[in-house]
Amino acid sequence: NLVGIQPEAFEHNTYSTQEEEKDYNGYVHNMIRWRYKKNMSDEYMNNGMNKIERESNTRLVKWEDGSMTLHVGSETFVCDQIPSAKAPKVTAGGNFKNGYLYLSQKATFRATATGDEEMEETDGGTVLECMGGIVSKITPRPSSLQSDSHKALTMAVRQ
């Protein structure tokens, strides 16, 4: 794989290069990372819609001609968009041969508090929210033969 994704929020004070290299078998060169955005007072920033802002080391750019590039840190990848295999049409909601994308969230139940009591929270298990059908996939490839990604890929193939 040319690009890895770190699902956990990046925290500078708890980040360990050795731990991440162990978790990803030494492959951390083009790791997509994200974190919650903080202000100068080290407080999380709100986006105005009551959600904490996030920032990433990655940008996906779609150009005027329809082509796409993925920028991870200082590396650039050309992206090929591959349509999924078409399945027969179904009138109610569609039928996606490659499945659907789900967002997994932990649910919490809150008991109603009376008076000065604190609200009691209990684990509600996992909730899956369907975000939509998968209609295509994006495959990144090194942008040039001189890129660090291409050199790393060449070395990996040789071994």
Side-chain angles (χ1 to χ4, degrees):
N1 289 340
L2 288 174
V3 179
I5 300 174
Q6 176 56 267
E8 302 296 322
F10 178 83
E11 286 287 341
H12 192 286
N13 55 351
T14 60
Y15 176 72
S16 167
T17 306
Q18 294 83 10
E19 189 69 29
E20 189 173 69
E21 289 207 17
K22 186 177 89 181
D23 291 346
Y24 290 91
N25 298 322
Y27 181 78
V28 294
H29 309 293
N30 301 311
M31 186 67 68
I32 295 174
R33 293 185 180 90
W34 64 276
R35 66 180 174 193
Y36 294 109
K37 193 171 184 180
K38 293 182 179 181
N39 61 20
M40 299 299 277
S41 305
D42 207 35
E43 298 168 331
Y44 293 118
M45 295 179 66
N46 192 315
N47 68 357
M49 296 186 321
N50 218 16
K51 292 194 176 197
I52 299 172
E53 283 189 55
R54 297 177 190 195
E55 57 187 2
S56 176
N57 68 335
T58 305
R59 299 287 175 263
L60 181 62
V61 179
K62 186 168 187 174
W63 299 96
E64 287 180 355
D65 65 358
S67 64
M68 289 188 280
T69 54
L70 179 69
H71 303 266
V72 182
S74 61
E75 281 290 318
T76 300
F77 299 91
V78 175
C79 293
D80 298 318
Q81 187 170 3
I82 303 165
S84 66
K86 293 196 176 187
K89 285 192 176 182
V90 175
T91 54
N95 184 1
F96 294 93
K97 206 170 197 178
N98 289 336
Y100 293 84
L101 177 64
Y102 290 91
L103 177 64
S104 176
Q105 303 178 59
K106 292 188 181 203
T108 304
F109 295 117
R110 294 188 177 126
T112 307
T114 55
D116 292 336
E117 298 174 13
E118 285 192 32
M119 204 175 282
E120 185 179 325
E121 294 185 354
T122 57
D123 182 24
T126 302
V127 176
L128 294 177
E129 179 182 358
C130 183
M131 303 307 290
I134 297 173
V135 295
S136 65
K137 70 177 181 177
I138 296 172
T139 305
R141 58 184 163 87
S143 59
S144 76
L145 297 175
Q146 287 74 38
S147 72
D148 290 339
S149 299
H150 185 271
K151 291 174 187 173
L153 182 61
T154 303
M155 292 303 289
V157 169
R158 286 183 185 170
Q159 295 177 359

